[in-house]
Amino acid sequence: MSDGAAGLPPLPEMPAFEAGSVWLVGAGPGDPGLLSLLALHALRAADIVVFDALVSEEVLALARPEAAREYAGKRGGKPSPRQPDITKQLIAHAQSGRRVLRLKGGDPCLFGRGGEEALALAAAEVPFRLVPGITAALGGLAYAGIPMTDRTINSSVTFITGHKVGGEVPDAIDWAALAAGAPVLIVYMALHNLPLIAAKLTAAGLAPETPVALISKATTPAQRVLESTLGACADEADAAGIEAPCIVVIGEVVRLRQALDWTAPREARAAAAARALAARGQRAAS
Amino acid sequence: MSDGAAGLPPLPEMPAFEAGSVWLVGAGPGDPGLLSLLALHALRAADIVVFDALVSEEVLALARPEAAREYAGKRGGKPSPRQPDITKQLIAHAQSGRRVLRLKGGDPCLFGRGGEEALALAAAEVPFRLVPGITAALGGLAYAGIPMTDRTINSSVTFITGHKVGGEVPDAIDWAALAAGAPVLIVYMALHNLPLIAAKLTAAGLAPETPVALISKATTPAQRVLESTLGACADEADAAGIEAPCIVVIGEVVRLRQALDWTAPREARAAAAARALAARGQRAAS
């Protein structure tokens, strides 16, 4: 996309990024095309960008050249900066009068600790702003051709995290309630604990045949999608060498991928789409 | 934000918007700053923009001046184009060789019927692309200062829709499972059926004191936030004259707004933030 705008309407006015403030911004799942205009504005205005492990190179490349860059990533099970040290740094940078962009993969406040960092900023009376981002589930499902909801399948969707920072499965999850109440379940950071998660959901009543899709490195050129079932997905992910970061989609919406994978040849999709429409009593308008 | 880029890195390459194809694109919840770069690219390249009721004026204003605009909105309970007529139009526009931008508020595939429209396109062998958007929950909670997840509160979040197009509450919802398994629940299109939804959740075991926030017209200049409880929210929403579109957040994360409403004076936030940090055994680094 050209940045020149001859004959095109001007871009909207953006709020001022004040010196001495911190913007907690979601960078989206990877594709720089999924960055918001506010995030781009922040990248172009920031004095320092403090970024986490899931922010892509292509996104960081959009920061103005003079901006300092500081890595503050956390990855489960690996040595990484302690959370109190990250927030102390954010506060110190802001108090030195800089425009501090805290850039996180996906959305900052959905399994991203944005709220926790904002609490520390608020307590220190550092002004801040929360800028949402496209979370991995929204990005990954769209790029895999799986609708998150479909009127004939689900009127709710549940996002859960597959592990805590230490690596364990979170202990407060009511698997029986999830199995009963979540027709579509999207598990973040699911890969490490996938055998356990699949076993818990099966024990709680979900059929082993329930369709599952694994989406690795969502929306990046390295994205891989594996279609499987709840009973087989852990073994198949292992055999296929699926890598983190990976989200897992569990539910009947996964079957629609046959018709909606828009990266596949259109002839391949048409028959599956006609079948899906016929099954819901609609005629394909062709 | 200026579109000129003197001294700034170039914007990323965008995929070609091919003639004869349809892009199903999320416009985000209202603030044009939440539009993605891909959505902006599509607005600037489209021959026709087919938009729904929740797409803001500011977003539509970014389309290139020569683009045709066609309204195809659906609002619950009001006369509106029939879904089969909308998909027929999309197919006809594409088959006439135009670049068709189907623009929806929020995300196209989360309660947005994007998957359904894509099925019809796939069956007609019309090439399409799914471009995710920032859904109202991500935008609205961030702008209200409510984190969607907090490590000390929830490791899952559930989105449900509060009514079907005809106006009724969806019938497939297992309220008991939701009450047991959803520590944070976000209800879309909740206003009309709020008394019923609150009663169902209370009957299923959620305490009437459970904190609730209503976010009306999320991320727009007319955004209003009402903090209440599950027991009182329906009456208070009515008394306050809260208007649709409105999302409702149910769960303990709502209490963090006292500390995290970044639009409030920072002195007001600091004490609440210090209390919240103390409650979780962390010192405020000030």
Side-chain angles (χ1 to χ4, degrees), chain A residues 132-204:
Chain A
I134 291 177
T135 185
L138 287 173
L141 269 70
Y143 279 49
I146 300 171
M148 199 171 281
T149 64
D150 180 282
R151 276 194 300 161
T152 67
I153 296 173
N154 62 321
S155 46
S156 74
V157 58
T158 298
F159 299 173
I160 73 170
T161 176
H163 68 71
K164 297 194 288 190
V165 168
E168 349 49 312
V169 174
D171 34 27
I173 289 178
D174 183 336
W175 298 98
L178 276 182
V184 174
L185 190 59
I186 300 176
V187 192
Y188 280 64
M189 294 173 281
L191 206 54
H192 181 66
N193 291 319
L194 192 55
L196 181 60
I197 291 166
K200 293 250 190 206
L201 287 170
T202 311

Side-chain angles (χ1 to χ4, degrees), chain B residues 24 28 129 224 254:
Chain B
L24 290 148
R129 184 183 179 100
R224 284 184 67 189
V254 168

Side-chain angles (χ1 to χ4, degrees), chain A residues 23-24 108-109 114-115 118 128-132, chain B residues 141-143 145-147 260 262:
Chain A
W23 282 25
L24 290 148
C109 295
F128 67 94
R129 184 183 181 99
L130 298 175
V131 179
Chain B
L141 269 71
Y143 279 50
I146 301 171
L260 298 184
W262 47 270

Side-chain angles (χ1 to χ4, degrees), chain A residues 5-250:
Chain A
L8 292 171
L11 288 178
E13 278 297 312
M14 292 285 149
F17 194 159
E18 304 283 359
S21 72
V22 178
W23 282 25
L24 290 148
V25 176
D31 180 350
L34 298 180
L35 209 63
S36 70
L37 298 182
L38 267 169
L40 177 68
H41 168 61
L43 279 159
R44 290 175 162 188
D47 297 309
I48 180 166
V49 183
V50 182
F51 62 98
D52 84 7
L54 295 177
V55 175
S56 70
E57 292 283 336
E58 292 85 349
V59 166
L60 274 181
L62 298 170
R64 69 188 177 96
E66 302 79 11
R69 284 145 168 91
E70 190 170 283
Y71 174 73
K74 295 186 84 72
R75 295 300 291 267
K78 297 190 184 143
S80 47
R82 293 173 54 245
Q83 190 65 46
D85 295 336
I86 296 173
T87 51
K88 264 183 204 152
Q89 279 297 98
L90 295 177
I91 292 166
H93 291 318
Q95 288 176 341
S96 75
R98 293 201 262 187
R99 292 170 190 83
V100 184
L101 169 55
R102 175 63 170 131
L103 195 60
K104 289 169 174 279
D107 177 80
C109 295
L110 179 56
F111 309 132
R113 298 190 176 206
E116 199 170 327
E117 295 183 10
L119 266 185
L121 298 172
E125 296 195 28
V126 170
F128 67 94
R129 184 183 181 99
L130 298 175
V131 179
I134 291 177
T135 185
L138 287 173
L141 269 70
Y143 279 49
I146 300 171
M148 199 171 281
T149 64
D150 180 282
R151 276 194 300 161
T152 67
I153 296 173
N154 62 321
S155 46
S156 74
V157 58
T158 298
F159 299 173
I160 73 170
T161 176
H163 68 71
K164 297 194 288 190
V165 168
E168 349 49 312
V169 174
D171 34 27
I173 289 178
D174 183 336
W175 298 98
L178 276 182
V184 174
L185 190 59
I186 300 176
V187 192
Y188 280 64
M189 294 173 281
L191 206 54
H192 181 66
N193 291 319
L194 192 55
L196 181 60
I197 291 166
K200 293 250 190 206
L201 287 170
T202 311
L206 278 193
E209 298 76 28
T210 306
V212 165
L214 282 77
I215 307 171
S216 165
K217 303 183 180 178
T219 82
T220 73
Q223 174 175 305
R224 283 184 68 189
V225 182
L226 176 72
E227 288 181 61
S228 182
T229 62
L230 190 59
C233 65
D235 286 345
E236 291 187 5
D238 197 40
I242 295 290
E243 295 177 9
C246 181
I247 56 170
V248 175
V249 193
I250 303 167

Side-chain angles (χ1 to χ4, degrees), chain B residues 9 158 161 226 241:
Chain B
T158 298
T161 177
L226 175 72

